[in-house]
């Protein structure tokens, strides 16, 4: 890796997009990655860092625009890192998400999967996030700058609705009034209604004035349905903490279609509820076709959170399906069991623990008809994949938010499973992120 002189600049033709959203060009046969550049553009870029196989460059000037670019709605487009594709037309976004998926499968996974359907669009392009996390800096709550950890002030974010925006301003004023210096503010705005706020602090002594903060916020924002003060217990840059004080309701309810799910302040749930309903529908369609109907069906939901995917399937297909949900995050178990009871799912077990160890115990008792795999962005990891290959379920549904790690994992799984379908779904408009639902079936011995 080598830093290059500041005065150097190159004229480049942008050819395609990378999975992280940057434009790809070539200079003397070398790949050049340019942030903020899109296919069809001619740009002047300043090379910054030369790696062995590519060079990172900074966009200096657009010399010729792309026919796929549009004017952004957000006033923070040039500085905020949240929506790097906001100036790319939505049809072009869908095309490139499909292209990024297919390229990853071919180049990373060495897989050829014909007839991958077009990316399913999000029903909503703006105000779609049910959860926003803002970092605190110099008296304001803001968002991370593009490709940086710096925090920028945000007056208006097109991903949140007007009530969420108002809540951010109210909390900023209350924090200032009480002399608090929190780390993050998390705002949850479920489709089913309500407004849930979480203030994450680093100092337990902040709990002494937590009630005063909550009282002040509620007086200015009567729409609030719950407030929690959480203590940060580990280093890192993730907006998560352990609750030390609740005001009003400690829970959130969200709905996918007609199916309600109870969530805690730290529970994972897809941030785009209308698009998540389309994602779950695809999972349902894939599972419904192959689950046996002449005997009990056994389903394992790995990285299950509050059990939403397994419970959704049991609610939609048959309530006598036996679902075992595995989740490592503390606190998810009680919520998952409540969700199962509310939905009338009688055969439901939630296990708190490591996915690899727990899956081995589950399959030692009986073979599984279906395993649902919804891992974090880093993927499933080789130990779990080896366990899936060894204890091959009849059907496997892999839900992924990262095409590269998905392709890597599918390459290994393809030794014992047939990839039947891949469906990209857009849960994150104006970003390069894309969700994929992959249906696999075990090969016959």
């Amino acid at each position: 890796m080598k830093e290059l002189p500041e005065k150097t600049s190159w004229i480049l033709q942008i050819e395609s997009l990378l999975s992280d959203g940057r434009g790809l060009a070539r200079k003397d046969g070398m790949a050049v990655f340019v942030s903020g550049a899109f296919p069809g553009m001619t740009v002047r870029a300043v090379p910054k860092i030369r790696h062995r196989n590519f060079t990172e460059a900074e966009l200096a000037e657009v010399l010729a625009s792309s026919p796929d670019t549009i004017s952004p709605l957000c006033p923070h487009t040039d500085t905020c890192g949240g929506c790097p594709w906001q100036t790319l037309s939505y049809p072009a976004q869908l095309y490139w998400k499909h292209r990024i998926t297919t390229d990853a499968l071919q180049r990373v996974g060495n897989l050829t999967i014909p007839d991958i359907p077009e990316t399913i669009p999000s029903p909503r392009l703006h105000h779609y996030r049910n959860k926003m996390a803002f970092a605190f800096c110099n008296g304001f709550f803001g968002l991370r700058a593009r490709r940086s950890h710096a925090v920028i002030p945000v007056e208006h974010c097109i991903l949140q609705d007007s009530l969420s925006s108002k809540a951010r301003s109210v909390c900023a004023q209350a924090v200032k009034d009480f002399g608090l210096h929190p780390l993050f503010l998390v705002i949850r705005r479920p489709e089913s209604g309500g407004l849930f706020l979480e203030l994450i602090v680093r100092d337990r002594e902040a709990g002494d004035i937590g009630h005063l903060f909550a009282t002040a916020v509620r007086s200015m924002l009567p729409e609030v349905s719950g407030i929690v003060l959480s203590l940060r217990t580990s280093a890192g840059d993730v907006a998560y903490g352990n609750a030390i004080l609740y005001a009003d309701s400690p829970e959130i309810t969200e709905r996918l279609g007609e199916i309600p799910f109870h969530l805690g302040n730290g529970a994972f749930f897809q941030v785009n509820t209308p698009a998540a309903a389309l994602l779950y529908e695809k999972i349902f369609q894939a599972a419904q076709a192959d689950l046996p109907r002449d005997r009990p069906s056994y389903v394992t939901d790995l990285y299950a959170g509050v059990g939403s995917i397994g419970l959704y399937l049991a609610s939609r297909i048959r309530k006598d399906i036996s679902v075992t949900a595995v989740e490592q995050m503390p606190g998810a178990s009680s919520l998952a069991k409540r969700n199962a009871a509310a939905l009338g799912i009688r055969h439901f077990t939630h296990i708190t623990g490591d996915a690899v160890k727990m899956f081995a115990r589950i399959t030692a008792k009986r073979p599984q008809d279906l395993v649902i795999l919804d891992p974090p962005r880093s993927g499933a990891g080789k130990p779990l994949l080896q366990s899936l290959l060894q204890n091959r379920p009849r059907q496997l549904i892999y839900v992924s938010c990262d095409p590269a790690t998905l392709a890597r994992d599918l390459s290994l799984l393809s030794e014992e499973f047939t990839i039947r379908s891949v469906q990209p779904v857009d849960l994150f408009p104006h970003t390069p992120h894309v969700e994929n639902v992959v249906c696999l079936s075990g090969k016959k011995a």
Side-chain angles (χ1 to χ4, degrees), residues 72-387:
L73 294 177
C74 178
H76 311 291
T77 303
D78 293 335
T79 54
C80 180
C83 301
W85 279 10
Q86 196 183 144
T87 53
L88 190 64
S89 72
Y90 194 58
Q93 291 183 35
L94 297 176
Y95 167 80
W96 282 106
K97 293 186 184 202
H98 184 278
R99 173 82 173 268
I100 286 169
T101 296
T102 55
D103 284 354
L105 294 174
Q106 292 171 1
R107 297 176 184 177
V108 178
N110 197 27
L111 300 164
T112 301
I113 303 172
D115 303 324
I116 297 177
E118 294 181 357
T119 307
I120 296 175
S122 171
R124 190 180 300 160
L125 302 187
H126 305 110
H127 316 305
Y128 65 79
R129 287 191 68 101
N130 58 43
K131 175 184 176 183
M132 291 285 293
F134 296 93
F136 185 78
C137 180
N138 296 327
F140 63 85
F141 288 110
L143 296 172
R144 298 295 183 190
R146 185 170 297 178
R147 305 186 68 81
S148 168
H149 288 286
V151 180
I152 62 168
V154 174
E155 297 177 5
H156 173 68
C157 176
I158 65 168
L159 302 188
Q160 62 174 169
D161 69 3
S162 58
L163 181 57
S164 298
S165 184
K166 180 181 177 182
R168 175 175 42 79
S169 299
V170 166
C171 288
Q173 183 60 51
V175 162
K176 180 180 178 180
D177 291 344
F178 291 102
L180 290 170
H181 294 86
L183 295 170
F184 299 100
L185 171 67
V186 179
I187 301 175
R188 288 182 181 258
R189 183 81 166 100
E191 288 286 311
S192 56
L195 179 66
F196 192 92
L197 308 177
E198 180 179 13
L199 193 69
I200 300 174
V201 299
R202 61 167 61 88
D203 186 355
R204 183 173 290 275
E205 292 180 359
D208 296 340
I209 56 175
H211 283 293
L212 297 176
F213 169 83
T215 299
V217 169
R218 283 182 297 188
S219 68
M220 294 184 283
L221 201 66
E223 297 92 341
V224 168
S225 52
I227 301 176
V228 61
L229 191 72
S230 295
L231 181 68
R232 179 62 168 274
T233 56
S234 61
D237 199 32
V238 179
Y240 179 79
N242 294 327
I244 57 175
L245 181 150
Y246 285 109
D248 300 313
S249 173
E251 292 183 8
I252 310 141
T253 300
E254 187 57 286
R255 289 182 178 273
L256 287 175
E258 297 300 316
I259 301 176
F261 292 100
H262 299 286
L263 310 174
N265 65 290
F268 169 79
F269 200 78
Q270 297 288 359
V271 299
N272 183 341
T273 305
L278 301 179
L279 177 79
Y280 277 45
E281 182 65 22
K282 284 297 174 183
I283 299 170
F284 160 71
Q285 292 171 3
Q288 182 185 36
D290 284 339
L291 281 177
R293 299 182 179 276
D294 57 347
R295 62 170 177 80
S297 299
Y298 297 96
V299 175
T300 295
D301 186 358
L302 299 175
Y303 306 97
V306 296
S308 58
I309 297 180
L311 293 173
Y312 183 90
L313 294 181
S315 297
R316 292 288 308 277
I317 299 174
R318 285 199 327 274
K319 293 193 176 184
D320 62 347
I321 290 175
S322 293
V323 178
T324 302
V326 179
E327 171 57 51
Q328 198 163 18
M329 186 68 71
S333 182
S334 60
L335 288 166
K337 291 174 181 177
R338 277 192 59 194
N339 287 325
L343 295 171
I345 310 301
R346 300 186 298 276
H347 307 293
F348 178 79
T349 303
H350 191 283
I351 302 173
T352 302
D354 176 72
V356 180
K357 295 177 181 178
M358 297 304 108
F359 180 64
R361 295 180 187 178
I362 293 165
T363 53
K365 294 180 180 179
R366 63 175 61 88
Q368 296 297 292
D369 295 299
L370 168 64
V371 171
I372 303 155
L373 191 60
D374 188 7
R377 187 171 296 277
S378 57
K382 196 168 184 179
L384 179 56
L385 297 175
Q386 293 288 3
S387 184

